[in-house]
Amino acid sequence: NAGVTQTPKFRILKIGQSMTLQCTQDMNHNYMYWYRQDPGMGLKLIYYSVGAGITDKGEVPNGYNVSRSTTEDFPLRLELAAPSQTSVYFCASSYGLNTEAFFGQGTRLTVV
Amino acid sequence: QKEVEQNSGPLSVPEGAIASLNCTYSDRGSQSFFWYRQYSGKSPELIMFIYSNGDKEDGRFTAQLNKASQYVSLLIRDSQPSDSATYLCAVPRIDSGGGADGLTFGKGTHLIIQP
């Protein structure tokens, strides 16, 4: 019973590098989300998707891009990494609007 | 800007006592409320949700909702050291068109249960 799977778990990037955080879910959820969590702060929504082919910006989208070609996958792309993107990134999915969100294990990203 | 406010703590409670965690929210249209527990270095996991005014009990956990006061709380009875974690209050974000765009989270309350 995999749920939401994120890879990698840890990554160190140099300033200006790019990378893709992978996220896949096997619960057939329409809604998927990317959050970032900085120390002592709540989770901030980066991007979300309400179904395959549909994505939209959340609260803090600058410096990120997403795509949703299938129901299962929702990768997050970081272009030109900056130290301000050092954070823990969580992917999540949910069945509906007012239902529980299930979270992946998180990716701890450091930009140096 | 829709806000969810929590006291960041730490809240220190003796083992066996009742831990009371509080959350206020700004959007009067909010319909559902979630409490997540997050252990250090782990991902959030749902422990309670509540939609209606009043109390909802699940084992040692009770969620209380007062929509008139825009206040939701979580009580943990017979607190155990394993309850030591950060507790996040979350409310669905609803845009002007009634669509979903994720959850708004509070910053979380760090709870410490003292043996």
Side-chain angles (χ1 to χ4, degrees):
Chain A
N1 192 6
V4 179
T5 303
Q6 286 182 240
T7 56
K9 287 188 171 59
F10 303 93
R11 183 71 186 268
I12 298 175
L13 277 183
K14 293 184 178 180
I15 294 172
Q17 287 185 322
S18 301
M19 75 165 294
T20 298
L21 281 66
Q22 301 293 341
C23 176
T24 187
Q25 53 95 4
D26 62 359
M27 296 175 282
N28 202 32
H29 286 167
N30 284 325
Y31 296 87
M32 294 189 75
Y33 318 90
W34 275 104
Y35 290 90
R36 60 175 287 172
Q37 186 176 35
D38 300 318
M41 304 295 288
L43 289 90
K44 300 289 187 184
L45 184 66
I46 305 171
Y47 270 93
Y48 67 98
S49 170
V50 300
I54 306 170
T55 64
D56 210 340
K57 297 177 181 178
E59 191 178 355
V60 290
N62 291 344
Y64 307 95
N65 274 301
V66 293
S67 59
R68 183 96 182 269
S69 57
T70 67
T71 299
E72 294 78 19
D73 300 308
F74 191 40
L76 177 72
R77 177 82 176 163
L78 278 72
E79 304 283 1
L80 297 175
S84 61
Q85 293 178 304
T86 293
S87 189
V88 179
Y89 292 84
F90 289 103
C91 179
S93 73
S94 66
Y95 177 75
L97 169 62
N98 290 316
T99 60
E100 174 185 4
F102 294 84
F103 285 82
Q105 313 95 306
T107 296
R108 186 174 296 275
L109 175 67
T110 302
V111 181
V112 296
Chain B
Q1 180 73 17
K2 297 171 184 175
E3 301 284 342
V4 177
E5 300 288 341
Q6 294 180 257
N7 188 327
S8 61
L11 174 65
S12 186
V13 174
E15 183 176 358
I18 296 175
S20 178
L21 304 159
N22 303 315
C23 172
T24 59
Y25 59 95
S26 62
D27 186 356
R28 284 196 171 275
S30 297
Q31 296 294 317
S32 55
F33 307 86
F34 300 87
W35 281 101
Y36 284 82
R37 177 177 62 200
Q38 187 177 26
Y39 292 115
S40 180
K42 301 296 186 182
S43 57
E45 56 177 338
L46 183 77
I47 53 171
M48 288 286 289
F49 64 89
I50 187 166
Y51 300 142
S52 304
N53 271 333
D55 295 359
K56 178 182 178 182
E57 187 174 318
D58 183 1
R60 296 186 297 112
F61 298 95
T62 299
Q64 299 176 318
L65 175 60
N66 184 327
K67 290 186 177 180
S69 299
Q70 295 176 244
Y71 177 95
V72 57
S73 63
L74 178 70
L75 302 178
I76 306 175
R77 290 182 300 282
D78 188 23
S79 298
Q80 303 296 311
S82 59
D83 295 326
S84 297
T86 296
Y87 290 79
L88 302 166
C89 175
V91 178
R93 297 161 53 103
I94 313 272
D95 62 27
S96 57
D101 63 358
L103 296 171
T104 296
F105 284 85
K107 293 181 180 180
T109 298
H110 182 44
L111 176 66
I112 299 171
I113 305 301
Q114 296 177 319

